[in-house]
């Protein structure tokens, strides 16, 4: 699986293109990513959003107009309709709402698994695709997502960190901002942040 990565917008949000034989997946198309995506894909099978913050979904509407279907967890779909930061250029409706704590999908030959790790937003997900995890704003290299935004929850973030530490094995992590890392490399950092929550 070939993975293309480029950061966009004021917050340098990572947009990813996953190249596949039956079509490509786009993950988190932030502000200004549309042209780059269209230059680097022949056919978009789906647009996958790790969560609903504007810097990750800004160009969803443009891509939706090409015929691409938008996927997001049902708990964050409201942010596409009414951006709490009032920054989105236009409201949209997602095509596919991911449900529950975990949902596996087959999309254009890719094995895709959305896993809910709420806290940064109610519907924050890490998306596993063919053995690689796109961690959105749940985990970064050396850090975790903020929990002081509207609709964020420190209590949910704490629960999510405990859940992440229960994941077996190691995975490459492609986060929503910054450099790539791995689950093994971040385990100690997650334990540090849990100590902060449990003081």
């Amino acid at each position: 699986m070939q993975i293309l990565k480029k950061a966009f917008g004021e917050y340098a949000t990572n947009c990813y293109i996953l190249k596949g034989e039956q079509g490509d997946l786009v993950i988190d198309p932030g502000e200004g990513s549309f042209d780059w995506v269209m230059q680097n894909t022949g056919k978009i099978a789906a647009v996958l959003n790790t969560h609903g913050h504007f810097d990750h979904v800004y160009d969803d509407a443009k891509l939706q107009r090409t015929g691409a279907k938008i996927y997001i967890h049902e708990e964050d779909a409201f942010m596409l309709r009414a951006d709490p930061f009032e920054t989105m250029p236009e409201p949209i409706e997602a095509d596919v709402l991911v449900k529950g704590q975990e949902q596996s999908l087959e999309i254009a030959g890719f094995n895709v698994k959305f896993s809910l790790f709420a806290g940064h937003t109610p519907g924050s997900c890490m998306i596993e695709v063919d053995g690689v995890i796109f961690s959105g704003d749940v985990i970064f290299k050396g850090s975790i997502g903020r929990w002081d935004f509207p609709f964020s929850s420190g209590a949910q973030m704490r629960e999510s960190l405990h859940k992440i530490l229960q994941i077996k094995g190691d995975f490459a992590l492609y986060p929503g901002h910054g450099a790539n890392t791995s689950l093994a490399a971040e385990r100690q950092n997650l334990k540090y942040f849990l100590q902060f929550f449990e003081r």
Side-chain angles (χ1 to χ4, degrees):
M1 178 175 64
Q2 182 185 7
I3 301 173
L4 307 182
K5 171 186 176 181
K6 189 171 181 179
F8 291 93
E10 181 180 358
Y11 300 101
T13 303
N14 292 329
C15 177
Y16 298 96
I17 300 173
L18 283 58
K19 306 292 290 182
E21 293 182 1
Q22 301 176 39
D24 301 335
L25 302 181
V26 177
I27 298 178
D28 287 358
E31 182 177 4
S33 63
F34 177 78
D35 288 345
W36 176 76
V37 170
M38 298 309 294
Q39 289 164 8
N40 286 281
T41 183
K43 178 183 178 183
I44 302 173
V47 175
L48 312 181
N49 294 142
T50 59
H51 64 292
H53 280 162
F54 69 90
D55 58 314
H56 293 255
V57 304
Y58 197 95
D59 280 1
D60 272 14
K62 289 183 178 180
L63 291 169
Q64 190 179 47
R65 283 194 285 271
T66 71
K69 290 188 176 182
I70 307 297
Y71 290 66
I72 195 168
H73 195 278
E74 61 181 349
E75 294 294 335
D76 270 16
F78 74 96
M79 294 188 187
L80 299 185
R81 297 190 292 268
D83 172 22
F85 299 98
E86 299 183 345
T87 303
M88 287 282 287
E90 59 186 294
I92 67 167
E93 291 286 343
D95 298 287
V96 181
L97 297 181
V98 177
K99 300 179 184 298
Q101 293 294 314
E102 187 176 288
Q103 185 172 350
S104 295
L105 305 160
E106 191 279 330
I107 305 173
F110 291 98
N111 295 308
V112 178
K113 183 170 75 172
F114 280 80
S115 296
L116 180 65
F117 293 99
H120 183 66
T121 66
S124 275
C125 287
M126 298 205 301
I127 305 172
E128 181 184 341
V129 182
D130 293 346
V132 172
I133 290 178
F134 297 86
S135 59
D137 285 5
V138 180
I139 309 175
F140 307 118
K141 184 175 183 178
S143 189
I144 62 173
R146 290 172 58 175
W147 59 92
D148 58 339
F149 290 128
F151 307 105
S152 297
S153 167
Q156 288 183 326
M157 180 64 80
R158 176 182 174 275
E159 292 175 8
S160 290
L161 296 184
H162 277 296
K163 282 174 56 180
I164 293 167
L165 287 172
Q166 301 305 310
I167 297 174
K168 304 297 184 184
D170 190 21
F171 291 87
L173 296 181
Y174 289 74
H177 304 269
N180 301 344
T181 183
S182 69
L183 183 58
E186 299 307 317
R187 286 186 187 277
Q188 198 60 41
N189 293 322
L190 298 184
K191 292 175 183 177
Y192 166 80
F193 282 104
L194 272 174
Q195 288 179 349
F196 173 84
F197 281 113
E198 293 169 354
R199 285 174 186 168

